[in-house]
Amino acid sequence: MTGLTADLVVDGREPQTPALAPNGRLLCYVLAPISRAGDHLDTELWLVDTDDVASRRATGDTATESQPRWSADSRTLFFLSDRAERGTPQLHRLTLASGTVTTCTSWRGGVIDHLPLVDPDLVALLTEDEPTERDARRARDRDDALVVGEREPRARLRLLDLRTGRVASPQVFGDRHVVEVRQRPDGGPLAVLTWASADNDHGPRSGQLHLFDPTTETAENLGPVAVDARSLAWWPGDDGWHLGYVALTPPLLQAGTAVFDLAVETRVLRNRTAGLSMCPTELCQTDTAPLVVFADGLNTTVARLDHTDLTTVSHRPGRLDNLTATATGDTIAVRTGARYEAPNVHIGAPTGPLRRVTHTRPELAGITFGTQQPLAYRAADGLDLDGLLVLPVGRTASEGPFPLVTIVHGGPYDRYADRCQLFWFPSAQWLAAAGYAVFLPNPRGGQGHGHEFAASVAGRVGQQEWTDIVTGIDLLIAEGIADPDRLGIAGWSHGGFMSAWAIGQTDRFRAALVGAGIVDWGMLAATGDNGQFEAALAGSTGWSGIGPHPHDAVSPISFAGRIRTPVLIVHGTEDTNVPLGQAVYLHRALRHFDVEHEFVMYPREGHSIRERHHQLDLLRRTRAWFDRWLQPPDGRTPVDGSPS
């Protein structure tokens, strides 16, 4: 038996963003390392022949390569690469017939995104404005005061003519930030999604949809869209063309997602997924009816959307992402895995079965994982809930009780799917290898159970979602799986909030991990990237009048005086989603109340930890922390052979 080590976890490579050629004969995917050793993430493009599953690397550069897109005739692959200047991606094209790679742009500042159009000579680009001589002078002279609202970066729509290399900049959307572009399958206009600004607090709440004619370079405004709209797709109907997108269900900013269907001619807008007990995650355009991916409890459903019906075509175990399809929609490729298998690219008919065409983590083949099983139980108020239980490696439930660590997912609009639970952050299989049982709950507020399930925590975080988690822990204790005297709790982001919240509500946990967690909702609404979305969760902001405010009652910092549980706090110093001040606040409170804790900051890291040595430190430090406080009394040695 091969033991699981931290190096095995972080040194792997995984496929990302598969792209099927419209004719279905070739597939391209990005092969990316899990961790980054230097300043740049070196990725690779790989091509797969879908008939014989033969793979070859598309280019030989040391570069960050991303966003593979096929031409309409399947003869050319376009992609972004920073081979010429690291950190500055430019558009490149690979001509399959000759195998030659050509650099298509030299845009100062780089290319953000691109879309090859049906016209073989045109590619739509998203780029920011190139710096002017005045900008360069200001930077050189350090006369560079930043004035909010002035000269803020905006992605603009450009048109690249491949015959001349000329990049045109149509002046059609004013000062709006372009987010996404999708061309009608017949070569007609482009659907263009814009925000008022690139600010994540304001932009997603200010979306508008436009039609853009690349021939005349004119635009038509279709009006506002629902909040956080994304994943555009066209399809034909009896009443003309329809344009769909995924967005939050109005009117709250904490809500389940829905598929919205806009009849372009009549401007009639419909919610096509209202009342469903699952949540759409993405749309995939074809020449006919688009495909829809749904988070469906612990698993995934794929459906086909046409003018009148939403028809389920398959159910898949676990999670399915990055759906791509041929022009006809008869063949799809996805990124998916299994309980004991890391994600790979699979291909087949939408109705299944799917065959795996990549095998990017062979080093995990000899690893013995802890047994993973779905859980179904009911909340205190009778609501149906689900989650996962992962047992210690080599143990069965009848051998319990075990020390139990509960890991709460982030979001809260996320979920645990029935897939391999092995990641760079503290995860179930990493702890199971050290002798722990791990509970992965899906409390209300998350994805996969419809709109009402997700919206139920708006303004009430830490309330019923907390009791949902406690109910699951008590169930595992009653079944003899969890040792009530050796309970730990952990989480990242919103999961970090729930971990901090838990130890302020009870002293039943002997150890806690708060990773990039929220401790003060008012401060997060004021300083985090997604301010108003956070305020929707917490129920108020600091400017909601003279306090106390509703968010004070759901902020863990308000209960810091009750905490007696030892806490490991970990946070990236450059995190703008949940700024470092949240961790500092908790650290100072615990120091004030003389609570045992350890505070670890990772330089240069944002909301996710990316550097290799930081990921290794996080994994090892987490296990050591729980070993210190929850170490089994029999002194069993973890299966990787390292001491407890």
Side-chain angles (χ1 to χ4, degrees):
M1 179 177 66
T2 302
L4 183 65
T5 66
D7 297 82
L8 275 174
V9 176
V10 309
D11 286 341
R13 300 193 299 172
E14 292 186 340
Q16 299 176 350
T17 58
L20 260 177
N23 63 13
R25 295 174 184 170
L26 283 174
L27 176 141
C28 182
Y29 66 91
V30 177
L31 186 61
I34 294 171
S35 63
R36 187 182 72 240
D39 293 333
H40 303 285
L41 189 71
D42 296 330
T43 61
E44 301 169 1
L45 292 183
W46 284 76
L47 290 170
V48 179
D49 187 306
T50 57
D51 288 331
D52 58 15
V53 198
S55 299
R56 68 182 188 275
R57 189 172 170 186
T59 66
D61 301 300
T62 298
T64 301
E65 298 176 330
S66 65
Q67 300 182 31
R69 310 267 197 274
W70 291 95
S71 62
D73 61 9
S74 301
R75 296 177 180 177
T76 305
L77 178 71
F78 293 88
F79 62 95
L80 300 185
S81 174
D82 64 358
R83 59 167 68 179
E85 180 183 354
R86 297 310 304 268
T88 306
Q90 301 292 348
L91 182 69
H92 295 71
R93 62 175 167 179
L94 169 63
T95 304
L96 296 179
S98 63
T100 58
V101 175
T102 307
T103 304
C104 300
T105 63
S106 56
W107 192 266
R108 286 177 293 162
V111 177
I112 299 170
D113 202 354
H114 66 101
L115 179 69
L117 303 186
V118 172
D119 183 335
D121 296 319
L122 290 180
V123 179
L125 304 176
L126 296 187
T127 72
E128 295 178 359
D129 293 335
E130 291 187 293
T132 64
E133 288 299 324
R134 180 170 179 265
D135 293 330
R137 184 175 65 253
R138 291 179 71 245
R140 183 176 61 250
D141 297 341
R142 297 195 175 187
D143 179 21
D144 53 358
L146 300 176
V147 180
V148 174
E150 294 183 10
R151 295 192 295 272
E152 289 184 351
R154 299 282 200 281
R156 316 284 190 187
L157 176 65
R158 325 278 180 181
L159 290 177
L160 168 64
D161 189 324
L162 294 170
R163 296 164 298 188
T164 63
R166 177 178 176 270
V167 177
S169 301
Q171 302 300 307
V172 288
F173 304 121
D175 203 34
R176 294 184 67 81
H177 172 66
V178 179
V179 179
E180 188 176 342
V181 177
R182 185 75 62 223
Q183 187 171 30
R184 208 168 70 187
D186 66 347
L190 310 184
V192 181
L193 177 64
T194 68
W195 293 352
S197 75
D199 180 355
N200 282 332
D201 172 52
H202 177 56
R205 298 183 287 119
S206 61
Q208 291 185 3
L209 202 53
H210 315 259
L211 295 182
F212 174 74
D213 187 329
T215 303
T216 62
E217 297 189 5
T218 57
E220 176 185 0
N221 193 336
L222 297 179
V225 292
V227 172
D228 202 25
R230 61 191 184 279
S231 198
L232 301 175
W234 289 89
W235 67 94
D238 295 337
D239 55 348
W241 285 96
H242 286 243
L243 185 54
Y245 58 87
V246 175
L248 295 183
T249 304
L252 303 177
L253 298 183
Q254 167 61 28
T257 50
V259 173
F260 291 90
D261 170 359
L262 175 67
V264 176
E265 293 298 324
T266 63
R267 305 294 171 86
V268 173
L269 181 68
R270 292 187 293 162
N271 178 346
R272 296 293 300 276
T273 54
L276 294 184
S277 59
M278 50 187 184
C279 300
T281 60
E282 57 182 287
L283 287 171
C284 179
Q285 178 172 300
T286 70
D287 286 348
T288 53
L291 297 169
V292 190
V293 179
F294 286 93
D296 188 0
L298 296 168
N299 301 303
T300 300
T301 290
V302 178
R304 194 180 302 276
L305 180 71
D306 61 26
H307 181 54
T308 57
D309 298 311
L310 179 67
T311 306
T312 296
V313 295
S314 63
H315 297 286
R316 309 284 180 188
R319 181 163 174 161
L320 182 154
D321 298 298
N322 303 141
L323 177 67
T324 175
T326 56
T328 61
D330 294 331
T331 303
I332 64 171
V334 297
R335 183 178 182 268
T336 188
R339 285 183 186 175
Y340 310 112
E341 180 184 295
N344 274 288
V345 179
H346 292 66
I347 192 170
T351 54
L354 300 178
R355 59 187 172 123
R356 189 182 68 185
V357 295
T358 65
H359 187 41
T360 58
R361 300 210 65 186
E363 68 276 10
L364 297 180
I367 299 296
T368 300
F369 290 109
T371 300
Q372 177 173 309
Q373 59 192 60
L375 293 178
Y377 64 101
R378 285 188 173 174
D381 61 356
L383 182 67
D384 289 330
L385 300 171
D386 60 36
L388 296 171
L389 171 67
V390 178
L391 294 171
V393 172
R395 309 295 289 272
T396 63
S398 63
E399 296 177 77
F402 308 106
L404 177 79
V405 178
T406 297
I407 307 178
V408 187
H409 67 65
Y413 195 60
D414 201 348
R415 63 166 177 152
Y416 283 117
D418 195 5
R419 59 170 176 163
C420 184
Q421 298 295 327
L422 182 66
F423 311 103
W424 60 263
F425 50 86
S427 54
Q429 292 294 353
W430 174 244
L431 291 175
Y436 296 96
V438 182
F439 174 41
L440 306 175
N442 282 325
R444 69 192 78 197
Q447 186 185 61
H449 294 281
H451 166 60
E452 295 300 329
F453 185 90
S456 63
V457 302
R460 298 187 296 275
V461 287
Q463 305 302 302
Q464 287 178 302
E465 60 179 320
W466 165 233
T467 59
D468 291 348
I469 294 169
V470 171
T471 299
I473 295 172
D474 289 341
L475 174 65
L476 295 176
I477 292 172
E479 293 182 348
I481 294 170
D483 183 341
D485 296 323
R486 290 185 291 163
L487 300 177
I489 190 163
W492 200 269
S493 192
H494 190 84
F497 154 70
M498 287 304 305
S499 184
W501 176 260
I503 57 178
Q505 307 304 308
T506 179
D507 60 0
R508 68 190 301 188
F509 297 104
R510 289 187 58 187
L513 165 70
V514 176
I518 302 102
V519 300
D520 188 301
W521 287 100
M523 186 164 68
L524 185 64
T527 61
D529 284 341
N530 309 294
Q532 289 303 300
F533 294 88
E534 312 294 4
L537 286 167
S540 62
T541 63
W543 57 80
S544 299
I546 298 174
H549 301 109
H551 68 255
D552 294 323
V554 292
S555 291
I557 202 66
S558 300
F559 302 89
R562 299 180 182 177
I563 297 176
R564 297 295 180 267
T565 302
V567 187
L568 173 60
I569 309 168
V570 291
H571 217 107
T573 61
E574 305 304 314
D575 192 345
T576 58
N577 188 325
V578 179
L580 179 63
Q582 297 280 333
V584 173
Y585 202 174
L586 180 58
H587 157 64
R588 291 181 177 179
L590 297 181
R591 183 174 60 187
H592 175 78
F593 291 111
D594 197 26
V595 177
E596 180 88 34
H597 72 287
E598 188 174 289
F599 180 23
V600 182
M601 294 175 282
Y602 294 109
R604 300 173 301 279
E605 301 285 14
H607 197 54
S608 298
I609 307 302
R610 297 303 184 193
E611 294 187 20
R612 180 178 185 274
H613 287 296
H614 291 164
Q615 290 184 352
L616 290 171
D617 180 86
L618 177 59
L619 289 171
R620 292 166 178 161
R621 189 179 298 275
T622 298
R623 186 184 282 183
W625 183 257
F626 285 115
D627 284 351
R628 176 180 174 185
W629 303 102
L630 307 180
Q631 184 176 357
D634 61 3
R636 291 185 72 248
T637 301
V639 296
D640 68 353
S642 62
S644 294

